[in-house]
PDB file of all heavy atoms in Angstrom:
ATOM      1  N   GLY J   1      15.091  -3.746  10.055  1.00 96.00           N
ATOM      2  CA  GLY J   1      13.896  -4.576  10.211  1.00 96.00           C
ATOM      3  C   GLY J   1      12.641  -3.738  10.359  1.00 96.00           C
ATOM      4  O   GLY J   1      11.590  -4.060   9.785  1.00 96.00           O
ATOM      5  N   THR J   2      12.754  -2.645  11.107  1.00 95.00           N
ATOM      6  CA  THR J   2      11.626  -1.714  11.228  1.00 95.00           C
ATOM      7  C   THR J   2      11.269  -1.120   9.876  1.00 95.00           C
ATOM      8  O   THR J   2      10.090  -1.011   9.515  1.00 95.00           O
ATOM      9  CB  THR J   2      11.987  -0.592  12.215  1.00 95.00           C
ATOM     10  OG1 THR J   2      12.334  -1.161  13.484  1.00 95.00           O
ATOM     11  CG2 THR J   2      10.828   0.375  12.384  1.00 95.00           C
ATOM     12  N   LEU J   3      12.298  -0.758   9.115  1.00 97.00           N
ATOM     13  CA  LEU J   3      12.072  -0.214   7.772  1.00 97.00           C
ATOM     14  C   LEU J   3      11.399  -1.255   6.879  1.00 97.00           C
ATOM     15  O   LEU J   3      10.497  -0.917   6.098  1.00 97.00           O
ATOM     16  CB  LEU J   3      13.399   0.224   7.158  1.00 97.00           C
ATOM     17  CG  LEU J   3      13.361   0.676   5.695  1.00 97.00           C
ATOM     18  CD1 LEU J   3      12.473   1.910   5.525  1.00 97.00           C
ATOM     19  CD2 LEU J   3      14.768   0.963   5.185  1.00 97.00           C
ATOM     20  N   ALA J   4      11.810  -2.516   6.999  1.00 97.00           N
ATOM     21  CA  ALA J   4      11.208  -3.570   6.168  1.00 97.00           C
ATOM     22  C   ALA J   4       9.727  -3.748   6.497  1.00 97.00           C
ATOM     23  O   ALA J   4       8.890  -3.875   5.582  1.00 97.00           O
ATOM     24  CB  ALA J   4      11.963  -4.884   6.375  1.00 97.00           C
ATOM     25  N   LEU J   5       9.386  -3.755   7.785  1.00 98.00           N
ATOM     26  CA  LEU J   5       7.973  -3.889   8.173  1.00 98.00           C
ATOM     27  C   LEU J   5       7.169  -2.699   7.670  1.00 98.00           C
ATOM     28  O   LEU J   5       6.045  -2.856   7.166  1.00 98.00           O
ATOM     29  CB  LEU J   5       7.866  -4.009   9.688  1.00 98.00           C
ATOM     30  CG  LEU J   5       8.400  -5.309  10.304  1.00 98.00           C
ATOM     31  CD1 LEU J   5       8.351  -5.229  11.827  1.00 98.00           C
ATOM     32  CD2 LEU J   5       7.613  -6.513   9.807  1.00 98.00           C
ATOM     33  N   TYR J   6       7.733  -1.510   7.814  1.00 98.00           N
ATOM     34  CA  TYR J   6       7.066  -0.311   7.307  1.00 98.00           C
ATOM     35  C   TYR J   6       6.860  -0.414   5.802  1.00 98.00           C
ATOM     36  O   TYR J   6       5.807  -0.045   5.273  1.00 98.00           O
ATOM     37  CB  TYR J   6       7.889   0.923   7.656  1.00 98.00           C
ATOM     38  CG  TYR J   6       7.339   2.203   7.073  1.00 98.00           C
ATOM     39  CD1 TYR J   6       6.412   2.964   7.775  1.00 98.00           C
ATOM     40  CD2 TYR J   6       7.727   2.641   5.801  1.00 98.00           C
ATOM     41  CE1 TYR J   6       5.892   4.129   7.239  1.00 98.00           C
ATOM     42  CE2 TYR J   6       7.209   3.803   5.255  1.00 98.00           C
ATOM     43  CZ  TYR J   6       6.292   4.540   5.977  1.00 98.00           C
ATOM     44  OH  TYR J   6       5.778   5.684   5.435  1.00 98.00           O
ATOM     45  N   SER J   7       7.869  -0.908   5.096  1.00 98.00           N
ATOM     46  CA  SER J   7       7.794  -0.998   3.632  1.00 98.00           C
ATOM     47  C   SER J   7       6.675  -1.928   3.192  1.00 98.00           C
ATOM     48  O   SER J   7       5.939  -1.627   2.237  1.00 98.00           O
ATOM     49  CB  SER J   7       9.139  -1.490   3.076  1.00 98.00           C
ATOM     50  OG  SER J   7      10.191  -0.616   3.430  1.00 98.00           O
ATOM     51  N   VAL J   8       6.539  -3.061   3.869  1.00 98.00           N
ATOM     52  CA  VAL J   8       5.457  -3.992   3.534  1.00 98.00           C
ATOM     53  C   VAL J   8       4.097  -3.332   3.753  1.00 98.00           C
ATOM     54  O   VAL J   8       3.195  -3.413   2.906  1.00 98.00           O
ATOM     55  CB  VAL J   8       5.593  -5.278   4.368  1.00 98.00           C
ATOM     56  CG1 VAL J   8       4.364  -6.169   4.179  1.00 98.00           C
ATOM     57  CG2 VAL J   8       6.858  -6.043   3.972  1.00 98.00           C
ATOM     58  N   ALA J   9       3.966  -2.658   4.890  1.00 98.00           N
ATOM     59  CA  ALA J   9       2.698  -1.973   5.177  1.00 98.00           C
ATOM     60  C   ALA J   9       2.416  -0.876   4.152  1.00 98.00           C
ATOM     61  O   ALA J   9       1.272  -0.713   3.697  1.00 98.00           O
ATOM     62  CB  ALA J   9       2.733  -1.387   6.586  1.00 98.00           C
ATOM     63  N   ALA J  10       3.461  -0.133   3.769  1.00 98.00           N
ATOM     64  CA  ALA J  10       3.278   0.946   2.799  1.00 98.00           C
ATOM     65  C   ALA J  10       2.928   0.397   1.422  1.00 98.00           C
ATOM     66  O   ALA J  10       2.102   0.971   0.707  1.00 98.00           O
ATOM     67  CB  ALA J  10       4.550   1.787   2.720  1.00 98.00           C
ATOM     68  N   GLY J  11       3.562  -0.706   1.034  1.00 98.00           N
ATOM     69  CA  GLY J  11       3.252  -1.308  -0.260  1.00 98.00           C
ATOM     70  C   GLY J  11       1.812  -1.783  -0.328  1.00 98.00           C
ATOM     71  O   GLY J  11       1.097  -1.503  -1.310  1.00 98.00           O
ATOM     72  N   ILE J  12       1.364  -2.481   0.701  1.00 98.00           N
ATOM     73  CA  ILE J  12      -0.018  -2.972   0.735  1.00 98.00           C
ATOM     74  C   ILE J  12      -0.998  -1.801   0.822  1.00 98.00           C
ATOM     75  O   ILE J  12      -2.018  -1.765   0.128  1.00 98.00           O
ATOM     76  CB  ILE J  12      -0.210  -3.941   1.916  1.00 98.00           C
ATOM     77  CG1 ILE J  12       0.639  -5.208   1.700  1.00 98.00           C
ATOM     78  CG2 ILE J  12      -1.678  -4.309   2.084  1.00 98.00           C
ATOM     79  CD1 ILE J  12       0.629  -6.157   2.885  1.00 98.00           C
ATOM     80  N   GLY J  13      -0.681  -0.828   1.668  1.00 98.00           N
ATOM     81  CA  GLY J  13      -1.576   0.316   1.823  1.00 98.00           C
ATOM     82  C   GLY J  13      -1.733   1.100   0.536  1.00 98.00           C
ATOM     83  O   GLY J  13      -2.849   1.510   0.170  1.00 98.00           O
ATOM     84  N   GLY J  14      -0.628   1.318  -0.184  1.00 98.00           N
ATOM     85  CA  GLY J  14      -0.712   2.041  -1.448  1.00 98.00           C
ATOM     86  C   GLY J  14      -1.543   1.298  -2.481  1.00 98.00           C
ATOM     87  O   GLY J  14      -2.342   1.892  -3.207  1.00 98.00           O
ATOM     88  N   ALA J  15      -1.361  -0.029  -2.538  1.00 98.00           N
ATOM     89  CA  ALA J  15      -2.135  -0.829  -3.488  1.00 98.00           C
ATOM     90  C   ALA J  15      -3.624  -0.809  -3.151  1.00 98.00           C
ATOM     91  O   ALA J  15      -4.475  -0.756  -4.045  1.00 98.00           O
ATOM     92  CB  ALA J  15      -1.609  -2.263  -3.506  1.00 98.00           C
ATOM     93  N   ILE J  16      -3.943  -0.846  -1.865  1.00 98.00           N
ATOM     94  CA  ILE J  16      -5.354  -0.787  -1.455  1.00 98.00           C
ATOM     95  C   ILE J  16      -5.975   0.544  -1.900  1.00 98.00           C
ATOM     96  O   ILE J  16      -7.100   0.582  -2.423  1.00 98.00           O
ATOM     97  CB  ILE J  16      -5.481  -0.957   0.069  1.00 98.00           C
ATOM     98  CG1 ILE J  16      -5.159  -2.402   0.468  1.00 98.00           C
ATOM     99  CG2 ILE J  16      -6.884  -0.577   0.545  1.00 98.00           C
ATOM    100  CD1 ILE J  16      -5.123  -2.634   1.971  1.00 98.00           C
ATOM    101  N   ILE J  17      -5.232   1.628  -1.717  1.00 97.00           N
ATOM    102  CA  ILE J  17      -5.771   2.944  -2.052  1.00 97.00           C
ATOM    103  C   ILE J  17      -6.037   3.066  -3.557  1.00 97.00           C
ATOM    104  O   ILE J  17      -7.122   3.467  -3.991  1.00 97.00           O
ATOM    105  CB  ILE J  17      -4.813   4.057  -1.587  1.00 97.00           C
ATOM    106  CG1 ILE J  17      -4.810   4.124  -0.053  1.00 97.00           C
ATOM    107  CG2 ILE J  17      -5.222   5.407  -2.177  1.00 97.00           C
ATOM    108  CD1 ILE J  17      -3.750   5.030   0.515  1.00 97.00           C
ATOM    109  N   VAL J  18      -5.036   2.700  -4.384  1.00 97.00           N
ATOM    110  CA  VAL J  18      -5.193   2.931  -5.830  1.00 97.00           C
ATOM    111  C   VAL J  18      -6.099   1.909  -6.497  1.00 97.00           C
ATOM    112  O   VAL J  18      -6.686   2.188  -7.549  1.00 97.00           O
ATOM    113  CB  VAL J  18      -3.823   2.955  -6.541  1.00 97.00           C
ATOM    114  CG1 VAL J  18      -2.958   4.083  -6.009  1.00 97.00           C
ATOM    115  CG2 VAL J  18      -3.105   1.620  -6.437  1.00 97.00           C
ATOM    116  N   GLN J  19      -6.240   0.724  -5.890  1.00 96.00           N
ATOM    117  CA  GLN J  19      -7.084  -0.288  -6.520  1.00 96.00           C
ATOM    118  C   GLN J  19      -8.467  -0.381  -5.885  1.00 96.00           C
ATOM    119  O   GLN J  19      -9.481  -0.251  -6.559  1.00 96.00           O
ATOM    120  CB  GLN J  19      -6.381  -1.648  -6.468  1.00 96.00           C
ATOM    121  CG  GLN J  19      -5.198  -1.762  -7.418  1.00 96.00           C
ATOM    122  CD  GLN J  19      -4.791  -3.199  -7.685  1.00 96.00           C
ATOM    123  OE1 GLN J  19      -4.980  -4.089  -6.865  1.00 96.00           O
ATOM    124  NE2 GLN J  19      -4.219  -3.433  -8.860  1.00 96.00           N
ATOM    125  N   THR J  20      -8.507  -0.580  -4.589  1.00 94.00           N
ATOM    126  CA  THR J  20      -9.796  -0.798  -3.930  1.00 94.00           C
ATOM    127  C   THR J  20     -10.543   0.506  -3.684  1.00 94.00           C
ATOM    128  O   THR J  20     -11.736   0.623  -3.986  1.00 94.00           O
ATOM    129  CB  THR J  20      -9.586  -1.531  -2.591  1.00 94.00           C
ATOM    130  OG1 THR J  20      -8.839  -2.727  -2.827  1.00 94.00           O
ATOM    131  CG2 THR J  20     -10.924  -1.880  -1.954  1.00 94.00           C
ATOM    132  N   ALA J  21      -9.846   1.498  -3.116  1.00 95.00           N
ATOM    133  CA  ALA J  21     -10.526   2.739  -2.749  1.00 95.00           C
ATOM    134  C   ALA J  21     -10.809   3.638  -3.942  1.00 95.00           C
ATOM    135  O   ALA J  21     -11.894   4.202  -4.065  1.00 95.00           O
ATOM    136  CB  ALA J  21      -9.695   3.484  -1.711  1.00 95.00           C
ATOM    137  N   LEU J  22      -9.833   3.785  -4.851  1.00 96.00           N
ATOM    138  CA  LEU J  22      -9.970   4.753  -5.939  1.00 96.00           C
ATOM    139  C   LEU J  22     -10.200   4.117  -7.307  1.00 96.00           C
ATOM    140  O   LEU J  22     -10.555   4.827  -8.252  1.00 96.00           O
ATOM    141  CB  LEU J  22      -8.712   5.637  -6.005  1.00 96.00           C
ATOM    142  CG  LEU J  22      -8.396   6.443  -4.742  1.00 96.00           C
ATOM    143  CD1 LEU J  22      -7.096   7.223  -4.926  1.00 96.00           C
ATOM    144  CD2 LEU J  22      -9.534   7.381  -4.393  1.00 96.00           C
ATOM    145  N   ASP J  23      -9.990   2.828  -7.415  1.00 95.00           N
ATOM    146  CA  ASP J  23     -10.151   2.133  -8.706  1.00 95.00           C
ATOM    147  C   ASP J  23      -9.343   2.837  -9.798  1.00 95.00           C
ATOM    148  O   ASP J  23      -9.817   3.054 -10.910  1.00 95.00           O
ATOM    149  CB  ASP J  23     -11.626   2.060  -9.094  1.00 95.00           C
ATOM    150  CG  ASP J  23     -11.880   1.062 -10.228  1.00 95.00           C
ATOM    151  OD1 ASP J  23     -11.053   0.142 -10.396  1.00 95.00           O
ATOM    152  OD2 ASP J  23     -12.880   1.211 -10.937  1.00 95.00           O
ATOM    153  N   ALA J  24      -8.092   3.195  -9.468  1.00 96.00           N
ATOM    154  CA  ALA J  24      -7.266   3.965 -10.398  1.00 96.00           C
ATOM    155  C   ALA J  24      -6.340   3.102 -11.230  1.00 96.00           C
ATOM    156  O   ALA J  24      -5.947   3.505 -12.326  1.00 96.00           O
ATOM    157  CB  ALA J  24      -6.438   4.988  -9.623  1.00 96.00           C
ATOM    158  N   LEU J  25      -5.950   1.935 -10.727  1.00 96.00           N
ATOM    159  CA  LEU J  25      -5.019   1.079 -11.448  1.00 96.00           C
ATOM    160  C   LEU J  25      -5.517  -0.362 -11.458  1.00 96.00           C
ATOM    161  O   LEU J  25      -5.960  -0.864 -10.421  1.00 96.00           O
ATOM    162  CB  LEU J  25      -3.627   1.113 -10.810  1.00 96.00           C
ATOM    163  CG  LEU J  25      -2.738   2.331 -11.071  1.00 96.00           C
ATOM    164  CD1 LEU J  25      -1.422   2.189 -10.330  1.00 96.00           C
ATOM    165  CD2 LEU J  25      -2.488   2.526 -12.559  1.00 96.00           C
TER     166      LEU J  25
END
């Protein structure tokens, strides 16, 4: 369950970085 919560946070965080912050994808 801890891994699942981490995974959701990591998925959202990665998408924010490549789309919102860097406009890469």
